[in-house]
Every structure is written in C-alpha cells, then in structure tokens.
Amino acid sequence: MAPRHEPTAPHHSVQDALRVLETVARHTAGVTETELARETGLGAERLTALLRMLRRDAHVEQIADGAYVTGPAFARLGAAEGHEEALSETLQRTLDRLRDSVGAAVYMSRYVDGEVRVTQYADSPATPKVNEWVDFRCSAHATAVGKSLLTQLDHDGRRDHLARHRMARLTSRTITSDTLLLSRLAAQPPTVPVLDLQEYAVGTVCAAVPITAGSSVGCLALSLPVEHAHRLRRAAQTLNRNAAPVLLSLTI
C-alpha cells in the first residue's frame, strides 16, 4: 500500500523553507538576509517571502541587529518531549488562519492504519463544518478528503480500501462503481484539487489538496454550502497555495 508521492508547489516551498531553517539553525548567533541569500542560493524576492512565512509561524525571529535566529515554534517542534502537543497547536493556528483567508471551514486529514481520519479542523459560526452524517471512515468514495487520500495510495492500496468499505449511495451524485472511481482517482493530477460536488451530502461542496510528509499521507480540505459553490475552485486554489506552512510543520 505504498503512497504515490509527486512534487507539488507546497512541497517545493517547504524544501526551500527547510534550506533557510537549516541555515539559520547553523548560525546560532544570527544570520543576515544577505548571508542567507548567499548560502541558500535563493533569490531576494523568494527569500523574503519565505522569511515572512517563517516569522509568522515563529519558526524564525529577528534579533536587535536584524539578523535571524531560530524561533520558539521551531524549537518546540524539534524537541522530542511535547512534540505532538506543539504540532497540534501550530497546525491549529495555521488552520484558523486558512479558515479566515478562504472563508470556509478547513480540515486536516490523515490516512492512518488504513483508515481516513480528520485529525483537526477550524470552523466558526459563519463557516460551519460539515455535519458528519455518515462516518468519514466509511465514505472515502464520496468525500473530497477521502478521494484526495486515496489518490495518494498506489492502485493496490486503493483497491484494498474499497474492498473494506462498501461504496454506499449517499446522494444522487455519489459514485458507487469501483471501476469508475478507480479510473478517476488514477487520472487525478496531484496539483489539481479533488472536488466533492454534493456527493457526500446534499447542500455541501468540498475540495481537498494533498499534504504528504515522508511516508505519511494527508490532505487539507474545505467545505462550503452549495449556494457558495461558485467560490469553491478559487478557495481550493488559495488553500493549495497556502498549504506550505502545514507541510513544513509536519516535516520538522
């Protein structure tokens, strides 16, 4: 059941951010932006954007002379003790920020021990989360979350999952043919968000983008009421562009 990882824009951003973090960490007394540019080989505009992201999430901070040192979030995530709590808190702050930027409930999901799990989410009265009327573990065929996670598995992994979970018809739009679903999953480009257009629940549309770190399989997703369906693709693109901080936190 090997994951099928392919590089996406957030992954490239994370690779660059890790280069910056590793360089900052080597300079315990601080390193200037000019020195960072020279040692990482990143252009000024790219480096400035990455430093802005790293500062916002407290992975780096500036000291009195303007040089950069590692920040408290990086230290907490890098420590063995309290790592999971630090990761959960960091991810929640990021999800809250994403919820506000896309104007939708946002979800973090993982594929763990052969099952779909929504591990964290950020909603609000104005952006309510999806009503889980059918257990997400049993409805991967109908949800954007489930389909995004399945696209990241190999063919045998997908077949194994579908063999363990019957593809029930949840709405008139639900795909219940494993042949059709497997064909669509295989054709799904890794850089294009997976959509759920009222396949899981009438009145709700969703989108999901892959988030993979190492051998783990995960995704970020959002949901909107169907009357806001016209915003779905743009919101999904925004979610994808801003997925790097989540992936970075999982990678550290």
Side-chain angles (χ1 to χ4, degrees):
M1 200 184 299
R4 185 196 66 169
H5 294 170
E6 298 181 52
T8 59
H11 286 74
H12 291 307
S13 293
V14 167
Q15 290 167 2
D16 288 345
L18 286 172
R19 284 163 62 193
V20 174
L21 271 174
E22 289 165 359
T23 305
V24 172
R26 285 200 306 270
H27 294 265
T28 54
V31 58
T32 67
E33 194 162 339
T34 301
E35 291 169 329
L36 280 171
R38 184 173 65 250
E39 293 190 31
T40 62
L42 295 168
E45 186 176 347
R46 177 70 167 158
L47 179 59
T48 298
L50 289 168
L51 286 170
R52 187 184 306 117
M53 178 184 80
L54 292 170
R55 288 181 65 189
R56 182 186 62 204
D57 292 331
H59 292 307
V60 303
E61 57 187 13
Q62 277 186 296
I63 53 180
D65 62 358
Y68 289 91
V69 295
T70 54
F74 178 73
R76 289 191 67 201
L77 286 173
E81 185 175 349
H83 171 79
E84 290 303 317
E85 181 183 356
L87 178 59
S88 177
E89 292 174 359
T90 301
L91 289 175
Q92 193 60 51
R93 285 195 300 270
T94 303
L95 293 178
D96 289 345
R97 192 167 60 241
L98 284 170
R99 174 201 60 206
D100 295 340
S101 66
V102 301
V106 176
Y107 312 80
M108 175 73 202
S109 303
R110 309 289 290 277
Y111 195 74
V112 182
D113 297 330
E115 300 295 347
V116 172
R117 295 186 184 176
V118 175
T119 53
Q120 287 180 251
Y121 64 89
D123 67 347
S124 72
T127 56
K129 66 182 178 69
V130 173
N131 173 36
E132 189 179 351
W133 76 284
V134 175
D135 193 323
F136 289 141
R137 291 174 298 178
C138 304
S139 54
H141 65 291
T143 65
V145 161
K147 288 186 288 183
S148 179
L149 295 174
L150 291 177
T151 62
Q152 298 172 62
L153 304 181
D154 60 20
H155 181 74
D156 290 342
R158 296 170 194 157
R159 290 199 68 88
D160 172 77
H161 184 92
L162 296 179
R164 291 183 287 108
H165 297 286
R166 185 174 65 86
M167 295 173 61
R169 185 175 298 282
L170 306 183
T171 77
S172 63
R173 294 173 175 265
T174 307
I175 296 174
T176 56
S177 162
D178 59 351
T179 302
L180 177 57
L181 181 64
L182 287 168
S183 174
R184 292 194 178 180
L185 293 175
Q188 175 71 30
T191 55
V192 176
V194 178
L195 304 182
D196 156 20
L197 304 177
Q198 301 189 87
E199 295 169 55
Y200 173 76
V202 174
T204 301
V205 295
C206 305
V209 297
I211 292 290
T212 55
S215 61
S216 68
V217 168
C219 73
L220 273 177
L222 62 88
S223 64
L224 288 167
V226 70
E227 55 266 30
H228 290 253
H230 61 282
R231 295 204 293 116
L232 183 64
R233 290 183 188 275
R234 179 170 293 183
Q237 290 166 357
T238 301
L239 190 70
N240 196 31
R241 284 197 306 272
N242 292 280
V246 174
L247 184 54
L248 180 63
S249 296
L250 292 171
T251 304
I252 293 176

